[in-house]
Short mmCIF file of all heavy atoms in Angstrom, two decimals:
data_model
loop_
_atom_site.label_atom_id
_atom_site.label_comp_id
_atom_site.label_asym_id
_atom_site.label_seq_id
_atom_site.Cartn_x
_atom_site.Cartn_y
_atom_site.Cartn_z
N PHE A 60 5.93 -35.49 -9.06
CA PHE A 60 6.48 -36.55 -8.23
C PHE A 60 7.94 -36.87 -8.54
O PHE A 60 8.50 -37.82 -8.00
CB PHE A 60 5.62 -37.80 -8.35
CG PHE A 60 4.30 -37.64 -7.64
CD1 PHE A 60 3.17 -37.26 -8.34
CD2 PHE A 60 4.21 -37.82 -6.28
CE1 PHE A 60 1.96 -37.08 -7.68
CE2 PHE A 60 3.01 -37.64 -5.61
CZ PHE A 60 1.88 -37.27 -6.32
N SER A 61 8.58 -36.05 -9.39
CA SER A 61 9.99 -36.27 -9.66
C SER A 61 10.88 -35.54 -8.65
O SER A 61 12.08 -35.72 -8.63
CB SER A 61 10.34 -35.78 -11.07
OG SER A 61 10.14 -34.38 -11.18
N GLY A 62 10.30 -34.71 -7.80
CA GLY A 62 11.07 -33.98 -6.80
C GLY A 62 10.27 -33.83 -5.53
O GLY A 62 9.58 -34.75 -5.10
N ALA A 63 10.35 -32.63 -4.94
CA ALA A 63 9.65 -32.38 -3.67
C ALA A 63 8.30 -31.73 -3.86
O ALA A 63 7.59 -31.48 -2.89
CB ALA A 63 10.53 -31.50 -2.78
N ALA A 64 7.90 -31.46 -5.12
CA ALA A 64 6.65 -30.74 -5.36
C ALA A 64 5.42 -31.50 -4.89
O ALA A 64 4.38 -30.90 -4.62
CB ALA A 64 6.52 -30.40 -6.84
N TRP A 65 5.53 -32.84 -4.77
CA TRP A 65 4.38 -33.63 -4.32
C TRP A 65 3.84 -33.13 -2.99
O TRP A 65 2.64 -33.28 -2.70
CB TRP A 65 4.77 -35.11 -4.18
CG TRP A 65 5.83 -35.36 -3.16
CD1 TRP A 65 7.18 -35.40 -3.36
CD2 TRP A 65 5.65 -35.56 -1.75
NE1 TRP A 65 7.85 -35.62 -2.19
CE2 TRP A 65 6.93 -35.72 -1.18
CE3 TRP A 65 4.53 -35.61 -0.93
CZ2 TRP A 65 7.12 -35.92 0.18
CZ3 TRP A 65 4.72 -35.82 0.44
CH2 TRP A 65 6.00 -35.98 0.98
N ALA A 66 4.70 -32.52 -2.18
CA ALA A 66 4.26 -32.04 -0.86
C ALA A 66 3.18 -30.98 -0.99
O ALA A 66 2.40 -30.76 -0.06
CB ALA A 66 5.45 -31.49 -0.08
N GLY A 67 3.12 -30.32 -2.15
CA GLY A 67 2.11 -29.29 -2.36
C GLY A 67 0.74 -29.83 -2.71
O GLY A 67 -0.20 -29.05 -2.90
N THR A 68 0.59 -31.15 -2.79
CA THR A 68 -0.71 -31.74 -3.09
C THR A 68 -1.37 -32.31 -1.84
O THR A 68 -2.36 -33.03 -1.93
CB THR A 68 -0.56 -32.87 -4.14
OG1 THR A 68 0.20 -33.95 -3.57
CG2 THR A 68 0.14 -32.36 -5.39
N VAL A 69 -0.83 -31.98 -0.68
CA VAL A 69 -1.32 -32.51 0.60
C VAL A 69 -1.71 -31.34 1.50
O VAL A 69 -1.02 -30.32 1.53
CB VAL A 69 -0.23 -33.36 1.30
CG1 VAL A 69 -0.71 -33.84 2.66
CG2 VAL A 69 0.18 -34.53 0.42
N LEU A 70 -2.81 -31.48 2.22
CA LEU A 70 -3.16 -30.49 3.24
C LEU A 70 -2.49 -30.92 4.54
O LEU A 70 -2.96 -31.81 5.24
CB LEU A 70 -4.68 -30.39 3.42
CG LEU A 70 -5.17 -29.41 4.49
CD1 LEU A 70 -4.61 -28.01 4.25
CD2 LEU A 70 -6.69 -29.38 4.56
N TRP A 71 -1.37 -30.29 4.85
CA TRP A 71 -0.58 -30.66 6.02
C TRP A 71 -1.18 -30.07 7.29
O TRP A 71 -1.85 -29.03 7.27
CB TRP A 71 0.86 -30.19 5.86
CG TRP A 71 1.56 -30.83 4.69
CD1 TRP A 71 1.72 -30.30 3.45
CD2 TRP A 71 2.15 -32.13 4.66
NE1 TRP A 71 2.39 -31.19 2.64
CE2 TRP A 71 2.67 -32.31 3.34
CE3 TRP A 71 2.31 -33.15 5.59
CZ2 TRP A 71 3.33 -33.48 2.96
CZ3 TRP A 71 2.97 -34.31 5.21
CH2 TRP A 71 3.47 -34.46 3.91
N ARG A 72 -0.90 -30.72 8.42
CA ARG A 72 -1.49 -30.24 9.68
C ARG A 72 -0.97 -28.86 10.05
O ARG A 72 -1.65 -28.12 10.77
CB ARG A 72 -1.21 -31.23 10.81
CG ARG A 72 0.23 -31.51 11.11
CD ARG A 72 0.35 -32.55 12.21
NE ARG A 72 1.65 -33.19 12.21
CZ ARG A 72 1.95 -34.23 12.97
NH1 ARG A 72 1.05 -34.74 13.78
NH2 ARG A 72 3.15 -34.78 12.92
N ALA A 73 0.22 -28.48 9.57
CA ALA A 73 0.72 -27.14 9.87
C ALA A 73 -0.21 -26.07 9.31
O ALA A 73 -0.45 -25.04 9.96
CB ALA A 73 2.13 -26.96 9.30
N ALA A 74 -0.75 -26.30 8.11
CA ALA A 74 -1.69 -25.34 7.52
C ALA A 74 -2.98 -25.28 8.32
O ALA A 74 -3.54 -24.19 8.56
CB ALA A 74 -1.97 -25.72 6.07
N VAL A 75 -3.47 -26.43 8.75
CA VAL A 75 -4.69 -26.48 9.55
C VAL A 75 -4.48 -25.74 10.87
O VAL A 75 -5.31 -24.94 11.31
CB VAL A 75 -5.11 -27.94 9.80
CG1 VAL A 75 -6.30 -28.00 10.76
CG2 VAL A 75 -5.47 -28.62 8.49
N ARG A 76 -3.34 -25.99 11.51
CA ARG A 76 -3.05 -25.34 12.78
C ARG A 76 -2.94 -23.82 12.62
O ARG A 76 -3.39 -23.07 13.48
CB ARG A 76 -1.75 -25.90 13.37
CG ARG A 76 -1.82 -27.35 13.77
CD ARG A 76 -2.62 -27.54 15.04
NE ARG A 76 -2.01 -26.83 16.15
CZ ARG A 76 -2.67 -26.43 17.23
NH1 ARG A 76 -3.97 -26.62 17.31
NH2 ARG A 76 -2.05 -25.81 18.21
N LEU A 77 -2.32 -23.37 11.54
CA LEU A 77 -2.20 -21.93 11.33
C LEU A 77 -3.58 -21.29 11.20
O LEU A 77 -3.84 -20.23 11.78
CB LEU A 77 -1.37 -21.64 10.07
CG LEU A 77 -1.16 -20.15 9.78
CD1 LEU A 77 -0.28 -19.51 10.84
CD2 LEU A 77 -0.56 -19.94 8.40
N VAL A 78 -4.46 -21.94 10.45
CA VAL A 78 -5.82 -21.41 10.30
C VAL A 78 -6.50 -21.30 11.66
O VAL A 78 -7.08 -20.27 12.01
CB VAL A 78 -6.63 -22.31 9.35
CG1 VAL A 78 -8.11 -21.93 9.39
CG2 VAL A 78 -6.10 -22.19 7.92
N GLU A 79 -6.42 -22.37 12.44
CA GLU A 79 -7.13 -22.40 13.72
C GLU A 79 -6.56 -21.40 14.72
O GLU A 79 -7.30 -20.68 15.39
CB GLU A 79 -7.06 -23.81 14.31
CG GLU A 79 -7.84 -24.84 13.52
CD GLU A 79 -7.70 -26.23 14.10
OE1 GLU A 79 -6.67 -26.53 14.73
OE2 GLU A 79 -8.63 -27.02 13.91
N VAL A 80 -5.25 -21.37 14.82
CA VAL A 80 -4.60 -20.60 15.89
C VAL A 80 -4.46 -19.12 15.54
O VAL A 80 -4.65 -18.25 16.40
CB VAL A 80 -3.22 -21.21 16.21
CG1 VAL A 80 -2.44 -20.33 17.17
CG2 VAL A 80 -3.38 -22.61 16.80
#
Side-chain angles (χ1 to χ4, degrees):
F60 288 96
S61 64
W65 62 268
T68 66
V69 177
L70 179 55
W71 297 98
R72 59 182 160 188
V75 174
R76 294 286 298 156
L77 181 68
V78 169
E79 292 177 332
V80 172

